[in-house]
């Protein structure tokens, strides 16, 4: 019996090589080539229906002549999930949701399907990792009594597509895409070719029938979605589940959304009855101190369309020969830059000190508006003097020591005033024309001005 011909396929880009190489010749990634069975070339694959376009063929037309209408959305019954999706589930849309094992992906989707089914929509839950009995047991634990969600335990793509066509659900969940395989390919489930082809078939079925598809994706050790990167390009929306499995709170973040805003987040709390939406997430990210403590400064950050208050904590301590710079939830390189600006323009030296900075609650802050709050928290810890009660600050700091404005400063200030904060240090360009009731504003243009204002308060 002749040995099957094998090739080496890149797990990042899907490129192939006849032999193993340390570096992928297509994308340049290291140690990503895995051995797969080569596909037979006995037929002309380009003539098969699987290579048909996702949209129906149309003549060439100018944009102004094409009829465009807003997409209709169906609320999922979970407010925080609808926020991340941009208002609800879109007919024929394909959503890819990834996250660490045990983070709550299957739990959230089962709750959403049950809410949709109780609203009168047919739903289908396809599980490739569990049996129907395990899914039923989870539904009992979540308190979803007498749930009418249809469950199919299957991993063969052709049977899944036939079931979707026969039952015509409004929403179908595939848990997970890495377990599905097609008979047209000889490679194992989870391989680059299987993931790419199965996702393409499911996406084509969603566009053709109007069924909303939700694909659950595994993640790698580095936290990226497993499989080829083209998987994220094919779908309409990509969601990431974030959070520590030991913590009560979870974040769902939109990385890509063709029907809504990106970088929108939904905040959930894991309870005995499943995931519950958190309507006021600022309460999670603020520590409850009976008295103000040194090294703590509250800032207002923007996550999508939602302003949230986050506490920045800093600890400055005497160091050995090589001082450490460590940040959790913030960019470490930016921390080093802010320490240099603090020394050069404000006269606060930390060269011989260990500096640790943390964003409370496990949130990750990527916007530069946190700069001023980080610098004030570091200065407060170094001097051992707490900032005043009800104090907030935000603003980007440049290398020349200037304090730059943050986008949508009015919304940030109104959110802080609503939660009872009374003193704010903000960039001069963010100072409102009309005073905000209950909020004393100090508008600054440079770092040294902000330091002087805080010293006067202390």
């Amino acid at each position: 019996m002749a040995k099957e011909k094998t090739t080496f396929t890149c797990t990042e880009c899907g490129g192939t090589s006849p032999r193993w190489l340390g570096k992928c010749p297509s994308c340049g990634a290291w140690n990503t080539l895995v051995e797969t069975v080569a596909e037979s070339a006995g037929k002309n694959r380009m003539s098969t229906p699987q290579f048909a376009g996702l949209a129906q063929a149309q003549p060439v037309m100018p944009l102004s002549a094409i009829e465009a209408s807003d997409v209709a959305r169906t609320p999922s019954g979970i407010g925080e999930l609808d926020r991340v999706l941009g208002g609800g589930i879109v007919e024929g849309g394909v959503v890819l949701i990834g996250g660490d094992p045990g983070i709550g992906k299957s739990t959230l989707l089962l709750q959403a399907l049950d809410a949709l089914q109780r609203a009168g929509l047919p739903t289908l839950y396809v599980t490739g990792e569990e049996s129907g009995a395990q899914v039923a047991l989870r539904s009992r634990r979540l308190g979803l009594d007498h749930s009418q969600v249809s469950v199919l335990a299957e991993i063969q793509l052709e049977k899944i597509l036939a079931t979707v066509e026969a039952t015509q659900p409004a929403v179908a969940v595939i848990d997970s895409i890495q377990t599905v395989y097609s008979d047209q390919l000889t490679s194992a489930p989870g391989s680059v070719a299987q993931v790419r082809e199965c996702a393409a078939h499911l996406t084509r079925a969603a566009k053709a029938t109007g069924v909303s598809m939700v694909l659950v994706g595994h993640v790698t050790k580095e936290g990226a979605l497993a499989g080829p990167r083209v998987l994220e390009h094919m779908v309409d929306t990509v969601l990431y589940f974030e959070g520590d499995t030991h913590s009560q709170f979870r974040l769902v973040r939109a990385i890509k959304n063709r029907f809504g805003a990106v970088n929108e987040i939904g905040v959930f709390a894991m309870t005995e009855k499943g995931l519950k939406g958190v309507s006021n997430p600022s309460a999670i990210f603020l520590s409850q101190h009976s008295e103000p403590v040194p090294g703590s400064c509250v800032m207002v950050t923007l996550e999508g369309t939602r302003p949230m208050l986050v506490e920045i904590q800093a600890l400055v301590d005497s160091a050995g020969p090589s001082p450490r710079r460590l940040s959790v939830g913030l960019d470490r390189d930016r921390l080093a830059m802010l320490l240099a600006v603090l020394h050069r323009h404000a006269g606060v030296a930390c060269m011989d000190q260990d500096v640790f900075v943390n964003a409370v609650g496990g949130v990750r802050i990527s916007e530069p508006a946190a700069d001023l709050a980080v610098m004030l928290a570091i200065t407060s810890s170094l001097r051992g003097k707490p900032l005043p009660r009800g104090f907030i600050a935000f603003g980007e700091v440049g290398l020349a020591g200037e304090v730059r404005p943050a986008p949508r400063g009015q919304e940030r200030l109104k959110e802080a005033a609503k939660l009872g904060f009374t003193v704010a240090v903000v960039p001069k360009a963010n100072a409102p024309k009309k005073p905000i009731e209950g909020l004393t504003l100090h508008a600054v243009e440079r770092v040294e001005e902000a330091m002087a204002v805080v010293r006067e308060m202390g």
Side-chain angles (χ1 to χ4, degrees):
M1 182 175 178
K3 182 181 178 182
E4 290 183 319
K5 184 180 179 182
T6 60
T7 60
F8 292 86
T9 308
C10 175
T11 57
E12 295 290 330
C13 68
T16 59
S17 171
R19 58 190 179 90
W20 186 86
L21 299 171
K23 182 179 180 180
C24 172
S26 301
C27 66
W30 288 92
N31 296 323
T32 58
L33 292 179
V34 295
E35 188 175 10
T36 58
V37 178
E39 302 300 326
S40 60
K43 61 178 181 178
N44 182 11
R45 298 180 65 210
M46 297 305 292
S47 62
T48 59
Q50 65 173 328
F51 290 97
L54 294 179
Q56 295 180 354
Q58 293 181 344
V60 177
M61 297 174 65
L63 277 175
S64 58
I66 299 175
E67 183 180 354
S69 58
D70 292 336
V71 291
R73 300 180 183 275
T74 304
S76 65
I78 301 177
E80 290 295 302
L81 181 60
D82 290 338
R83 171 188 285 273
V84 180
L85 291 173
I89 297 172
V90 177
E91 181 181 341
V94 183
V95 179
L96 175 64
I97 180 167
D100 293 333
I103 202 75
K105 302 183 296 295
S106 301
T107 298
L108 177 64
L109 293 175
L110 191 58
Q111 289 179 255
L113 284 187
D114 184 74
L116 287 166
Q117 173 266 317
R118 293 180 191 274
L121 294 174
T123 56
L124 176 64
Y125 187 90
V126 180
T127 173
E129 300 176 349
E130 300 174 294
S131 65
Q134 288 175 297
V135 177
L137 184 62
R138 186 193 301 127
S139 71
R140 307 290 193 278
R141 289 201 311 266
L142 298 177
L144 307 179
D145 298 327
H146 309 293
S147 177
Q148 299 300 310
V149 174
S150 301
V151 177
L152 172 66
E154 183 57 65
I155 61 174
Q156 187 178 351
L157 175 68
E158 287 74 18
K159 292 182 180 178
I160 294 172
L161 291 176
T163 304
V164 169
E165 186 177 352
T167 58
Q168 285 296 308
V171 182
V173 170
I174 312 296
D175 187 5
S176 66
I177 187 63
Q178 274 80 15
T179 61
V180 180
Y181 75 97
S182 172
D183 280 339
Q184 297 179 6
L185 304 175
T186 57
S187 50
S191 63
V192 172
Q194 287 283 10
V195 171
R196 182 179 61 232
E197 290 297 321
C198 291
H201 278 287
L202 291 167
T203 302
R204 187 172 296 107
K207 303 301 180 187
T209 62
V211 176
S212 299
M213 292 277 186
V214 182
L215 311 179
V216 178
H218 294 173
V219 293
T220 61
K221 289 185 295 184
E222 292 77 19
L225 280 163
R229 195 64 187 267
V230 72
L231 178 62
E232 298 180 45
H233 291 283
M234 283 191 290
V235 300
D236 299 313
T237 306
V238 180
L239 306 181
Y240 273 86
F241 237 110
E242 298 176 0
D244 189 354
T245 54
H246 304 291
S247 171
Q248 178 187 5
F249 300 105
R250 307 282 194 270
L251 302 179
V252 179
R253 188 184 301 271
I255 304 299
K256 170 190 175 181
N257 194 350
R258 289 175 178 157
F259 304 113
V262 293
N263 287 329
E264 192 73 69
I265 71 165
V267 185
F268 295 89
M270 180 64 81
T271 67
E272 292 181 355
K273 296 297 184 181
L275 289 161
K276 305 293 183 184
V278 178
S279 57
N280 182 20
S282 295
I284 302 171
F285 307 123
L286 294 177
S287 289
Q288 303 299 322
H289 301 296
S290 56
E291 292 294 331
V293 295
S296 172
C297 182
V298 177
M299 69 156 294
V300 190
T301 184
L302 278 181
E303 289 289 352
T305 59
R306 170 189 282 175
M308 288 195 310
L309 275 77
V310 178
E311 181 181 358
I312 304 295
Q313 292 182 340
L315 176 63
V316 180
D317 196 11
S318 56
S322 55
R324 298 180 65 192
R325 290 5 182 179
L326 185 64
S327 64
V328 179
L330 297 149
D331 186 12
R332 188 178 304 177
D333 293 335
R334 196 161 190 87
L335 173 61
M337 184 192 78
L338 293 177
L339 290 172
V341 174
L342 200 59
H343 179 214
R344 181 67 180 267
H345 296 287
V348 179
C350 298
M351 295 95 67
D352 57 345
Q353 305 284 319
D354 284 335
V355 180
F356 306 96
V357 178
N358 175 41
V360 172
V363 68
R364 294 178 189 153
I365 302 175
S366 56
E367 65 166 347
D371 292 351
L372 189 58
V374 170
M375 296 176 82
L376 292 176
I378 291 171
T379 307
S380 170
S381 177
L382 182 64
R383 293 175 175 164
K385 293 183 178 180
L387 295 168
R389 182 183 293 277
F391 178 90
I392 66 157
F394 62 83
E396 179 184 354
V397 176
L399 289 177
E402 78 279 12
V403 180
R404 299 173 178 270
R408 295 165 59 190
Q410 306 289 323
E411 294 181 34
R412 298 176 193 249
L413 293 172
K414 288 177 181 176
E415 179 73 11
K418 187 172 69 175
L419 292 173
F421 286 82
T422 56
V423 184
V425 174
V426 299
K428 190 171 184 179
N430 284 133
K433 295 179 181 178
K434 295 181 180 180
I436 298 176
E437 185 178 356
L439 194 61
T440 304
L441 282 170
H442 299 275
V444 297
E445 290 185 312
R446 297 192 58 78
V447 172
E448 50 266 36
E449 290 181 40
M451 298 298 166
V453 167
V454 172
R455 275 197 297 270
E456 291 174 6
M457 293 178 187

